[in-house]
PDB file of all heavy atoms in Angstrom:
ATOM      1  N   PRO A  11     211.730 109.618 201.606  1.00 95.00           N
ATOM      2  CA  PRO A  11     211.130 110.021 202.887  1.00 95.00           C
ATOM      3  C   PRO A  11     211.777 109.392 204.095  1.00 95.00           C
ATOM      4  O   PRO A  11     212.234 108.213 204.010  1.00 95.00           O
ATOM      5  CB  PRO A  11     209.675 109.584 202.701  1.00 95.00           C
ATOM      6  CG  PRO A  11     209.463 109.532 201.231  1.00 95.00           C
ATOM      7  CD  PRO A  11     210.765 109.077 200.664  1.00 95.00           C
ATOM      8  N   ALA A  12     211.792 110.099 205.207  1.00 95.00           N
ATOM      9  CA  ALA A  12     212.419 109.582 206.420  1.00 95.00           C
ATOM     10  C   ALA A  12     211.662 108.422 206.989  1.00 95.00           C
ATOM     11  O   ALA A  12     212.251 107.471 207.501  1.00 95.00           O
ATOM     12  CB  ALA A  12     212.550 110.724 207.449  1.00 95.00           C
ATOM     13  N   ARG A  13     210.337 108.458 206.922  1.00 97.00           N
ATOM     14  CA  ARG A  13     209.509 107.396 207.452  1.00 97.00           C
ATOM     15  C   ARG A  13     208.898 106.656 206.248  1.00 97.00           C
ATOM     16  O   ARG A  13     207.978 107.092 205.565  1.00 97.00           O
ATOM     17  CB  ARG A  13     208.412 107.933 208.339  1.00 97.00           C
ATOM     18  CG  ARG A  13     208.983 108.558 209.640  1.00 97.00           C
ATOM     19  CD  ARG A  13     207.819 108.914 210.579  1.00 97.00           C
ATOM     20  NE  ARG A  13     207.066 110.074 210.143  1.00 97.00           N
ATOM     21  CZ  ARG A  13     205.790 110.233 210.318  1.00 97.00           C
ATOM     22  NH1 ARG A  13     205.065 109.283 210.942  1.00 97.00           N
ATOM     23  NH2 ARG A  13     205.140 111.335 209.912  1.00 97.00           N
ATOM     24  N   MET A  14     209.420 105.467 205.988  1.00 96.00           N
ATOM     25  CA  MET A  14     209.032 104.771 204.767  1.00 96.00           C
ATOM     26  C   MET A  14     209.252 103.296 204.916  1.00 96.00           C
ATOM     27  O   MET A  14     210.252 102.826 205.538  1.00 96.00           O
ATOM     28  CB  MET A  14     209.897 105.286 203.626  1.00 96.00           C
ATOM     29  CG  MET A  14     209.723 104.588 202.272  1.00 96.00           C
ATOM     30  SD  MET A  14     210.858 105.224 201.021  1.00 96.00           S
ATOM     31  CE  MET A  14     212.408 104.524 201.588  1.00 96.00           C
ATOM     32  N   ARG A  15     208.334 102.492 204.361  1.00 96.00           N
ATOM     33  CA  ARG A  15     208.528 101.057 204.224  1.00 96.00           C
ATOM     34  C   ARG A  15     208.492 100.736 202.745  1.00 96.00           C
ATOM     35  O   ARG A  15     207.632 101.227 202.028  1.00 96.00           O
ATOM     36  CB  ARG A  15     207.420 100.253 204.964  1.00 96.00           C
ATOM     37  CG  ARG A  15     207.626  98.761 204.719  1.00 96.00           C
ATOM     38  CD  ARG A  15     206.747  97.904 205.567  1.00 96.00           C
ATOM     39  NE  ARG A  15     206.981  96.513 205.286  1.00 96.00           N
ATOM     40  CZ  ARG A  15     206.312  95.477 205.856  1.00 96.00           C
ATOM     41  NH1 ARG A  15     205.377  95.757 206.725  1.00 96.00           N
ATOM     42  NH2 ARG A  15     206.584  94.250 205.529  1.00 96.00           N
ATOM     43  N   VAL A  16     209.453  99.938 202.291  1.00 95.00           N
ATOM     44  CA  VAL A  16     209.544  99.582 200.863  1.00 95.00           C
ATOM     45  C   VAL A  16     209.137  98.142 200.653  1.00 95.00           C
ATOM     46  O   VAL A  16     209.588  97.207 201.387  1.00 95.00           O
ATOM     47  CB  VAL A  16     211.015  99.808 200.384  1.00 95.00           C
ATOM     48  CG1 VAL A  16     211.162  99.373 198.928  1.00 95.00           C
ATOM     49  CG2 VAL A  16     211.460 101.225 200.548  1.00 95.00           C
ATOM     50  N   LEU A  17     208.265  97.941 199.667  1.00 94.00           N
ATOM     51  CA  LEU A  17     207.900  96.621 199.217  1.00 94.00           C
ATOM     52  C   LEU A  17     208.429  96.399 197.862  1.00 94.00           C
ATOM     53  O   LEU A  17     208.145  97.129 196.914  1.00 94.00           O
ATOM     54  CB  LEU A  17     206.355  96.494 199.192  1.00 94.00           C
ATOM     55  CG  LEU A  17     205.581  96.608 200.519  1.00 94.00           C
ATOM     56  CD1 LEU A  17     204.068  96.511 200.226  1.00 94.00           C
ATOM     57  CD2 LEU A  17     206.040  95.543 201.460  1.00 94.00           C
ATOM     58  N   LEU A  18     209.296  95.373 197.708  1.00 91.00           N
ATOM     59  CA  LEU A  18     209.863  95.063 196.390  1.00 91.00           C
ATOM     60  C   LEU A  18     208.976  94.005 195.764  1.00 91.00           C
ATOM     61  O   LEU A  18     208.895  92.849 196.222  1.00 91.00           O
ATOM     62  CB  LEU A  18     211.282  94.532 196.552  1.00 91.00           C
ATOM     63  CG  LEU A  18     212.313  95.560 197.115  1.00 91.00           C
ATOM     64  CD1 LEU A  18     213.696  94.943 197.177  1.00 91.00           C
ATOM     65  CD2 LEU A  18     212.305  96.871 196.385  1.00 91.00           C
ATOM     66  N   ASP A  19     208.265  94.415 194.700  1.00 90.00           N
ATOM     67  CA  ASP A  19     207.284  93.473 194.106  1.00 90.00           C
ATOM     68  C   ASP A  19     207.039  93.920 192.658  1.00 90.00           C
ATOM     69  O   ASP A  19     207.276  95.092 192.305  1.00 90.00           O
ATOM     70  CB  ASP A  19     205.983  93.531 194.931  1.00 90.00           C
ATOM     71  CG  ASP A  19     205.190  92.256 194.760  1.00 90.00           C
ATOM     72  OD1 ASP A  19     205.548  91.424 193.915  1.00 90.00           O
ATOM     73  OD2 ASP A  19     204.157  92.115 195.464  1.00 90.00           O
ATOM     74  N   ARG A  20     206.595  92.996 191.864  1.00 84.00           N
ATOM     75  CA  ARG A  20     206.259  93.257 190.452  1.00 84.00           C
ATOM     76  C   ARG A  20     204.867  92.718 190.203  1.00 84.00           C
ATOM     77  O   ARG A  20     204.538  91.580 190.553  1.00 84.00           O
ATOM     78  CB  ARG A  20     207.269  92.579 189.544  1.00 84.00           C
ATOM     79  CG  ARG A  20     207.150  92.965 188.079  1.00 84.00           C
ATOM     80  CD  ARG A  20     207.831  91.982 187.182  1.00 84.00           C
ATOM     81  NE  ARG A  20     209.230  91.797 187.438  1.00 84.00           N
ATOM     82  CZ  ARG A  20     210.226  92.389 186.798  1.00 84.00           C
ATOM     83  NH1 ARG A  20     209.998  93.242 185.772  1.00 84.00           N
ATOM     84  NH2 ARG A  20     211.489  92.163 187.098  1.00 84.00           N
ATOM     85  N   GLY A  21     204.015  93.531 189.538  1.00 83.00           N
ATOM     86  CA  GLY A  21     202.683  93.086 189.212  1.00 83.00           C
ATOM     87  C   GLY A  21     202.654  91.956 188.183  1.00 83.00           C
ATOM     88  O   GLY A  21     203.704  91.519 187.742  1.00 83.00           O
ATOM     89  N   PRO A  22     201.488  91.510 187.805  1.00 88.00           N
ATOM     90  CA  PRO A  22     200.179  92.054 188.125  1.00 88.00           C
ATOM     91  C   PRO A  22     199.701  91.759 189.580  1.00 88.00           C
ATOM     92  O   PRO A  22     200.132  90.755 190.151  1.00 88.00           O
ATOM     93  CB  PRO A  22     199.208  91.403 187.125  1.00 88.00           C
ATOM     94  CG  PRO A  22     199.882  90.118 186.819  1.00 88.00           C
ATOM     95  CD  PRO A  22     201.357  90.371 186.861  1.00 88.00           C
ATOM     96  N   PHE A  23     198.855  92.637 190.101  1.00 95.00           N
ATOM     97  CA  PHE A  23     198.347  92.504 191.470  1.00 95.00           C
ATOM     98  C   PHE A  23     196.863  92.222 191.378  1.00 95.00           C
ATOM     99  O   PHE A  23     196.195  92.612 190.440  1.00 95.00           O
ATOM    100  CB  PHE A  23     198.626  93.781 192.254  1.00 95.00           C
ATOM    101  CG  PHE A  23     200.079  94.146 192.312  1.00 95.00           C
ATOM    102  CD1 PHE A  23     200.615  95.162 191.525  1.00 95.00           C
ATOM    103  CD2 PHE A  23     200.979  93.447 193.115  1.00 95.00           C
ATOM    104  CE1 PHE A  23     201.943  95.526 191.555  1.00 95.00           C
ATOM    105  CE2 PHE A  23     202.310  93.793 193.175  1.00 95.00           C
ATOM    106  CZ  PHE A  23     202.813  94.789 192.388  1.00 95.00           C
ATOM    107  N   THR A  24     196.328  91.613 192.458  1.00 97.00           N
ATOM    108  CA  THR A  24     194.918  91.274 192.513  1.00 97.00           C
ATOM    109  C   THR A  24     194.173  92.287 193.427  1.00 97.00           C
ATOM    110  O   THR A  24     194.772  92.893 194.299  1.00 97.00           O
ATOM    111  CB  THR A  24     194.711  89.850 193.028  1.00 97.00           C
ATOM    112  OG1 THR A  24     195.133  89.824 194.411  1.00 97.00           O
ATOM    113  CG2 THR A  24     195.512  88.838 192.207  1.00 97.00           C
ATOM    114  N   VAL A  25     192.865  92.339 193.253  1.00 98.00           N
ATOM    115  CA  VAL A  25     192.075  93.224 194.111  1.00 98.00           C
ATOM    116  C   VAL A  25     192.157  92.740 195.559  1.00 98.00           C
ATOM    117  O   VAL A  25     192.313  93.530 196.474  1.00 98.00           O
ATOM    118  CB  VAL A  25     190.606  93.247 193.618  1.00 98.00           C
ATOM    119  CG1 VAL A  25     189.724  94.030 194.611  1.00 98.00           C
ATOM    120  CG2 VAL A  25     190.543  93.891 192.237  1.00 98.00           C
ATOM    121  N   ASP A  26     192.105  91.391 195.760  1.00 98.00           N
ATOM    122  CA  ASP A  26     192.151  90.912 197.111  1.00 98.00           C
ATOM    123  C   ASP A  26     193.496  91.256 197.742  1.00 98.00           C
ATOM    124  O   ASP A  26     193.543  91.630 198.924  1.00 98.00           O
ATOM    125  CB  ASP A  26     192.002  89.359 197.103  1.00 98.00           C
ATOM    126  CG  ASP A  26     190.561  88.942 196.838  1.00 98.00           C
ATOM    127  OD1 ASP A  26     189.658  89.800 196.933  1.00 98.00           O
ATOM    128  OD2 ASP A  26     190.328  87.746 196.538  1.00 98.00           O
ATOM    129  N   GLY A  27     194.559  91.137 196.991  1.00 97.00           N
ATOM    130  CA  GLY A  27     195.883  91.426 197.530  1.00 97.00           C
ATOM    131  C   GLY A  27     196.031  92.906 197.837  1.00 97.00           C
ATOM    132  O   GLY A  27     196.611  93.298 198.876  1.00 97.00           O
ATOM    133  N   GLU A  28     195.516  93.764 196.962  1.00 98.00           N
ATOM    134  CA  GLU A  28     195.603  95.203 197.202  1.00 98.00           C
ATOM    135  C   GLU A  28     194.742  95.649 198.375  1.00 98.00           C
ATOM    136  O   GLU A  28     195.154  96.510 199.159  1.00 98.00           O
ATOM    137  CB  GLU A  28     195.193  95.985 195.923  1.00 98.00           C
ATOM    138  CG  GLU A  28     196.064  95.669 194.695  1.00 98.00           C
ATOM    139  CD  GLU A  28     197.451  96.268 194.842  1.00 98.00           C
ATOM    140  OE1 GLU A  28     198.276  95.702 195.605  1.00 98.00           O
ATOM    141  OE2 GLU A  28     197.761  97.234 194.111  1.00 98.00           O
ATOM    142  N   ARG A  29     193.571  95.064 198.492  1.00 98.00           N
ATOM    143  CA  ARG A  29     192.698  95.347 199.647  1.00 98.00           C
ATOM    144  C   ARG A  29     193.411  94.992 200.923  1.00 98.00           C
ATOM    145  O   ARG A  29     193.381  95.779 201.918  1.00 98.00           O
ATOM    146  CB  ARG A  29     191.376  94.617 199.480  1.00 98.00           C
ATOM    147  CG  ARG A  29     190.310  95.055 200.496  1.00 98.00           C
ATOM    148  CD  ARG A  29     189.154  94.136 200.515  1.00 98.00           C
ATOM    149  NE  ARG A  29     188.499  94.034 199.151  1.00 98.00           N
ATOM    150  CZ  ARG A  29     188.533  92.910 198.423  1.00 98.00           C
ATOM    151  NH1 ARG A  29     189.098  91.805 198.895  1.00 98.00           N
ATOM    152  NH2 ARG A  29     187.925  92.877 197.260  1.00 98.00           N
ATOM    153  N   ALA A  30     193.987  93.794 200.959  1.00 98.00           N
ATOM    154  CA  ALA A  30     194.711  93.350 202.182  1.00 98.00           C
ATOM    155  C   ALA A  30     195.884  94.253 202.472  1.00 98.00           C
ATOM    156  O   ALA A  30     196.164  94.569 203.660  1.00 98.00           O
ATOM    157  CB  ALA A  30     195.168  91.910 201.967  1.00 98.00           C
ATOM    158  N   LEU A  31     196.578  94.703 201.445  1.00 98.00           N
ATOM    159  CA  LEU A  31     197.740  95.630 201.642  1.00 98.00           C
ATOM    160  C   LEU A  31     197.311  96.901 202.282  1.00 98.00           C
ATOM    161  O   LEU A  31     197.924  97.441 203.202  1.00 98.00           O
ATOM    162  CB  LEU A  31     198.390  95.832 200.298  1.00 98.00           C
ATOM    163  CG  LEU A  31     199.702  96.624 200.294  1.00 98.00           C
ATOM    164  CD1 LEU A  31     200.842  95.861 200.979  1.00 98.00           C
ATOM    165  CD2 LEU A  31     200.080  97.022 198.903  1.00 98.00           C
ATOM    166  N   LEU A  32     196.256  97.501 201.727  1.00 98.00           N
ATOM    167  CA  LEU A  32     195.803  98.755 202.269  1.00 98.00           C
ATOM    168  C   LEU A  32     195.328  98.644 203.737  1.00 98.00           C
ATOM    169  O   LEU A  32     195.621  99.543 204.542  1.00 98.00           O
ATOM    170  CB  LEU A  32     194.617  99.309 201.431  1.00 98.00           C
ATOM    171  CG  LEU A  32     194.979  99.704 199.958  1.00 98.00           C
ATOM    172  CD1 LEU A  32     193.698 100.128 199.231  1.00 98.00           C
ATOM    173  CD2 LEU A  32     196.053 100.784 199.891  1.00 98.00           C
ATOM    174  N   ARG A  33     194.679  97.536 204.016  1.00 98.00           N
ATOM    175  CA  ARG A  33     194.219  97.338 205.386  1.00 98.00           C
ATOM    176  C   ARG A  33     195.399  97.068 206.326  1.00 98.00           C
ATOM    177  O   ARG A  33     195.480  97.618 207.424  1.00 98.00           O
ATOM    178  CB  ARG A  33     193.260  96.172 205.428  1.00 98.00           C
ATOM    179  CG  ARG A  33     191.857  96.508 204.935  1.00 98.00           C
ATOM    180  CD  ARG A  33     190.963  95.271 204.881  1.00 98.00           C
ATOM    181  NE  ARG A  33     189.581  95.582 204.628  1.00 98.00           N
ATOM    182  CZ  ARG A  33     188.692  94.754 204.209  1.00 98.00           C
ATOM    183  NH1 ARG A  33     189.045  93.479 203.899  1.00 98.00           N
ATOM    184  NH2 ARG A  33     187.446  95.115 203.996  1.00 98.00           N
ATOM    185  N   GLU A  34     196.332  96.214 205.929  1.00 98.00           N
ATOM    186  CA  GLU A  34     197.460  95.830 206.796  1.00 98.00           C
ATOM    187  C   GLU A  34     198.280  97.052 207.217  1.00 98.00           C
ATOM    188  O   GLU A  34     198.710  97.145 208.360  1.00 98.00           O
ATOM    189  CB  GLU A  34     198.365  94.876 206.043  1.00 98.00           C
ATOM    190  CG  GLU A  34     199.623  94.464 206.816  1.00 98.00           C
ATOM    191  CD  GLU A  34     200.560  93.591 205.982  1.00 98.00           C
ATOM    192  OE1 GLU A  34     200.200  93.209 204.847  1.00 98.00           O
ATOM    193  OE2 GLU A  34     201.680  93.328 206.480  1.00 98.00           O
ATOM    194  N   HIS A  35     198.407  98.004 206.297  1.00 98.00           N
ATOM    195  CA  HIS A  35     199.283  99.165 206.573  1.00 98.00           C
ATOM    196  C   HIS A  35     198.445 100.393 206.943  1.00 98.00           C
ATOM    197  O   HIS A  35     199.020 101.475 207.052  1.00 98.00           O
ATOM    198  CB  HIS A  35     200.185  99.466 205.391  1.00 98.00           C
ATOM    199  CG  HIS A  35     201.186  98.352 205.084  1.00 98.00           C
ATOM    200  ND1 HIS A  35     202.283  98.151 205.833  1.00 98.00           N
ATOM    201  CD2 HIS A  35     201.127  97.340 204.185  1.00 98.00           C
ATOM    202  CE1 HIS A  35     202.938  97.109 205.381  1.00 98.00           C
ATOM    203  NE2 HIS A  35     202.290  96.572 204.395  1.00 98.00           N
ATOM    204  N   ALA A  36     197.163 100.234 207.123  1.00 98.00           N
ATOM    205  CA  ALA A  36     196.266 101.336 207.525  1.00 98.00           C
ATOM    206  C   ALA A  36     196.436 102.559 206.617  1.00 98.00           C
ATOM    207  O   ALA A  36     196.478 103.694 207.067  1.00 98.00           O
ATOM    208  CB  ALA A  36     196.495 101.729 208.998  1.00 98.00           C
ATOM    209  N   VAL A  37     196.519 102.280 205.310  1.00 98.00           N
ATOM    210  CA  VAL A  37     196.687 103.348 204.350  1.00 98.00           C
ATOM    211  C   VAL A  37     195.453 104.219 204.268  1.00 98.00           C
ATOM    212  O   VAL A  37     194.340 103.732 204.205  1.00 98.00           O
ATOM    213  CB  VAL A  37     197.018 102.749 202.942  1.00 98.00           C
ATOM    214  CG1 VAL A  37     196.935 103.786 201.871  1.00 98.00           C
ATOM    215  CG2 VAL A  37     198.379 102.080 202.948  1.00 98.00           C
ATOM    216  N   ASP A  38     195.671 105.542 204.326  1.00 97.00           N
ATOM    217  CA  ASP A  38     194.504 106.446 204.244  1.00 97.00           C
ATOM    218  C   ASP A  38     194.570 107.348 202.979  1.00 97.00           C
ATOM    219  O   ASP A  38     193.660 108.143 202.755  1.00 97.00           O
ATOM    220  CB  ASP A  38     194.271 107.258 205.497  1.00 97.00           C
ATOM    221  CG  ASP A  38     195.506 107.956 206.011  1.00 97.00           C
ATOM    222  OD1 ASP A  38     196.469 108.138 205.244  1.00 97.00           O
ATOM    223  OD2 ASP A  38     195.506 108.337 207.187  1.00 97.00           O
ATOM    224  N   VAL A  39     195.637 107.245 202.208  1.00 98.00           N
ATOM    225  CA  VAL A  39     195.742 107.936 200.917  1.00 98.00           C
ATOM    226  C   VAL A  39     196.575 107.093 199.930  1.00 98.00           C
ATOM    227  O   VAL A  39     197.588 106.521 200.307  1.00 98.00           O
ATOM    228  CB  VAL A  39     196.421 109.323 201.076  1.00 98.00           C
ATOM    229  CG1 VAL A  39     196.424 110.078 199.741  1.00 98.00           C
ATOM    230  CG2 VAL A  39     195.832 110.144 202.169  1.00 98.00           C
ATOM    231  N   LEU A  40     196.091 107.045 198.707  1.00 98.00           N
ATOM    232  CA  LEU A  40     196.862 106.372 197.621  1.00 98.00           C
ATOM    233  C   LEU A  40     197.284 107.429 196.632  1.00 98.00           C
ATOM    234  O   LEU A  40     196.452 108.232 196.165  1.00 98.00           O
ATOM    235  CB  LEU A  40     195.982 105.321 196.913  1.00 98.00           C
ATOM    236  CG  LEU A  40     196.478 104.733 195.597  1.00 98.00           C
ATOM    237  CD1 LEU A  40     197.771 103.972 195.785  1.00 98.00           C
ATOM    238  CD2 LEU A  40     195.420 103.821 194.987  1.00 98.00           C
ATOM    239  N   VAL A  41     198.552 107.409 196.282  1.00 97.00           N
ATOM    240  CA  VAL A  41     199.074 108.303 195.244  1.00 97.00           C
ATOM    241  C   VAL A  41     199.508 107.454 194.055  1.00 97.00           C
ATOM    242  O   VAL A  41     200.306 106.517 194.244  1.00 97.00           O
ATOM    243  CB  VAL A  41     200.229 109.119 195.744  1.00 97.00           C
ATOM    244  CG1 VAL A  41     200.787 110.046 194.588  1.00 97.00           C
ATOM    245  CG2 VAL A  41     199.868 109.970 196.905  1.00 97.00           C
ATOM    246  N   THR A  42     199.020 107.762 192.856  1.00 96.00           N
ATOM    247  CA  THR A  42     199.376 107.014 191.684  1.00 96.00           C
ATOM    248  C   THR A  42     199.372 107.913 190.474  1.00 96.00           C
ATOM    249  O   THR A  42     198.793 109.013 190.464  1.00 96.00           O
ATOM    250  CB  THR A  42     198.391 105.818 191.461  1.00 96.00           C
ATOM    251  OG1 THR A  42     198.899 104.981 190.431  1.00 96.00           O
ATOM    252  CG2 THR A  42     197.004 106.341 191.057  1.00 96.00           C
ATOM    253  N   LYS A  43     200.073 107.455 189.433  1.00 96.00           N
ATOM    254  CA  LYS A  43     200.070 108.152 188.142  1.00 96.00           C
ATOM    255  C   LYS A  43     198.993 107.506 187.250  1.00 96.00           C
ATOM    256  O   LYS A  43     198.730 106.286 187.372  1.00 96.00           O
ATOM    257  CB  LYS A  43     201.442 108.020 187.457  1.00 96.00           C
ATOM    258  CG  LYS A  43     202.565 108.674 188.189  1.00 96.00           C
ATOM    259  CD  LYS A  43     203.882 108.359 187.484  1.00 96.00           C
ATOM    260  CE  LYS A  43     205.058 109.027 188.153  1.00 96.00           C
ATOM    261  NZ  LYS A  43     206.347 108.673 187.468  1.00 96.00           N
ATOM    262  N   ASP A  44     198.443 108.266 186.367  1.00 97.00           N
ATOM    263  CA  ASP A  44     197.401 107.772 185.438  1.00 97.00           C
ATOM    264  C   ASP A  44     198.085 106.911 184.338  1.00 97.00           C
ATOM    265  O   ASP A  44     198.168 107.297 183.178  1.00 97.00           O
ATOM    266  CB  ASP A  44     196.627 108.891 184.805  1.00 97.00           C
ATOM    267  CG  ASP A  44     195.506 108.407 183.919  1.00 97.00           C
ATOM    268  OD1 ASP A  44     195.203 107.177 183.950  1.00 97.00           O
ATOM    269  OD2 ASP A  44     194.933 109.211 183.173  1.00 97.00           O
ATOM    270  N   SER A  45     198.566 105.745 184.752  1.00 92.00           N
ATOM    271  CA  SER A  45     199.343 104.885 183.855  1.00 92.00           C
ATOM    272  C   SER A  45     198.456 104.024 182.957  1.00 92.00           C
ATOM    273  O   SER A  45     198.914 103.560 181.909  1.00 92.00           O
ATOM    274  CB  SER A  45     200.248 103.961 184.676  1.00 92.00           C
ATOM    275  OG  SER A  45     201.146 104.736 185.464  1.00 92.00           O
ATOM    276  N   GLY A  46     197.217 103.805 183.345  1.00 93.00           N
ATOM    277  CA  GLY A  46     196.355 102.878 182.597  1.00 93.00           C
ATOM    278  C   GLY A  46     196.712 101.427 182.887  1.00 93.00           C
ATOM    279  O   GLY A  46     197.607 101.122 183.676  1.00 93.00           O
ATOM    280  N   GLY A  47     196.013 100.531 182.245  1.00 88.00           N
ATOM    281  CA  GLY A  47     196.253  99.112 182.476  1.00 88.00           C
ATOM    282  C   GLY A  47     195.495  98.577 183.640  1.00 88.00           C
ATOM    283  O   GLY A  47     194.522  99.193 184.129  1.00 88.00           O
ATOM    284  N   PRO A  48     195.856  97.394 184.124  1.00 87.00           N
ATOM    285  CA  PRO A  48     195.149  96.775 185.271  1.00 87.00           C
ATOM    286  C   PRO A  48     195.102  97.733 186.428  1.00 87.00           C
ATOM    287  O   PRO A  48     196.129  98.416 186.751  1.00 87.00           O
ATOM    288  CB  PRO A  48     196.015  95.531 185.594  1.00 87.00           C
ATOM    289  CG  PRO A  48     196.633  95.193 184.281  1.00 87.00           C
ATOM    290  CD  PRO A  48     196.931  96.525 183.648  1.00 87.00           C
ATOM    291  N   ALA A  49     193.957  97.780 187.142  1.00 92.00           N
ATOM    292  CA  ALA A  49     193.734  98.820 188.155  1.00 92.00           C
ATOM    293  C   ALA A  49     193.239  98.201 189.475  1.00 92.00           C
ATOM    294  O   ALA A  49     192.290  98.746 190.053  1.00 92.00           O
ATOM    295  CB  ALA A  49     192.813  99.869 187.632  1.00 92.00           C
ATOM    296  N   ALA A  50     193.823  97.130 189.910  1.00 97.00           N
ATOM    297  CA  ALA A  50     193.356  96.468 191.142  1.00 97.00           C
ATOM    298  C   ALA A  50     193.452  97.432 192.303  1.00 97.00           C
ATOM    299  O   ALA A  50     192.562  97.424 193.199  1.00 97.00           O
ATOM    300  CB  ALA A  50     194.172  95.206 191.388  1.00 97.00           C
ATOM    301  N   LYS A  51     194.501  98.249 192.401  1.00 97.00           N
ATOM    302  CA  LYS A  51     194.658  99.141 193.506  1.00 97.00           C
ATOM    303  C   LYS A  51     193.544 100.173 193.563  1.00 97.00           C
ATOM    304  O   LYS A  51     193.099 100.580 194.643  1.00 97.00           O
ATOM    305  CB  LYS A  51     196.022  99.838 193.457  1.00 97.00           C
ATOM    306  CG  LYS A  51     196.238 100.671 192.217  1.00 97.00           C
ATOM    307  CD  LYS A  51     197.678 101.140 192.119  1.00 97.00           C
ATOM    308  CE  LYS A  51     197.937 101.787 190.763  1.00 97.00           C
ATOM    309  NZ  LYS A  51     199.383 102.117 190.605  1.00 97.00           N
ATOM    310  N   LEU A  52     193.052 100.587 192.372  1.00 98.00           N
ATOM    311  CA  LEU A  52     191.987 101.582 192.344  1.00 98.00           C
ATOM    312  C   LEU A  52     190.671 100.960 192.831  1.00 98.00           C
ATOM    313  O   LEU A  52     189.883 101.605 193.528  1.00 98.00           O
ATOM    314  CB  LEU A  52     191.819 102.152 190.946  1.00 98.00           C
ATOM    315  CG  LEU A  52     193.042 102.898 190.408  1.00 98.00           C
ATOM    316  CD1 LEU A  52     192.755 103.399 189.000  1.00 98.00           C
ATOM    317  CD2 LEU A  52     193.462 104.051 191.312  1.00 98.00           C
ATOM    318  N   THR A  53     190.434  99.718 192.424  1.00 98.00           N
ATOM    319  CA  THR A  53     189.256  99.009 192.915  1.00 98.00           C
ATOM    320  C   THR A  53     189.284  98.842 194.424  1.00 98.00           C
ATOM    321  O   THR A  53     188.288  99.089 195.141  1.00 98.00           O
ATOM    322  CB  THR A  53     189.109  97.650 192.248  1.00 98.00           C
ATOM    323  OG1 THR A  53     189.068  97.814 190.825  1.00 98.00           O
ATOM    324  CG2 THR A  53     187.891  96.880 192.709  1.00 98.00           C
ATOM    325  N   ALA A  54     190.441  98.467 194.932  1.00 98.00           N
ATOM    326  CA  ALA A  54     190.579  98.274 196.393  1.00 98.00           C
ATOM    327  C   ALA A  54     190.362  99.597 197.132  1.00 98.00           C
ATOM    328  O   ALA A  54     189.700  99.660 198.135  1.00 98.00           O
ATOM    329  CB  ALA A  54     191.949  97.709 196.717  1.00 98.00           C
TER     330      ALA A  54
END
């Protein structure tokens, strides 16, 4: 995408961290695959 910010990171991620990430970047939609496993981003 032309307008994009990339975060280079490897999980596991925490709910607090994911919540802060969504707020910091004013995210209004999350796109994910049904991968299973830890789901901190879904909780956030």
Side-chain angles (χ1 to χ4, degrees):
R13 293 188 287 147
M14 176 184 72
R15 177 171 180 183
V16 177
L17 297 178
L18 299 182
D19 205 354
R20 189 199 301 262
F23 303 103
T24 66
V25 174
D26 287 346
E28 298 290 72
R29 189 190 304 112
L31 184 70
L32 295 177
R33 283 174 170 161
E34 177 186 354
H35 296 283
V37 168
D38 50 20
V39 185
L40 167 64
V41 178
T42 190
K43 297 175 178 178
D44 184 12
S45 301
K51 61 190 173 186
L52 298 180
T53 301

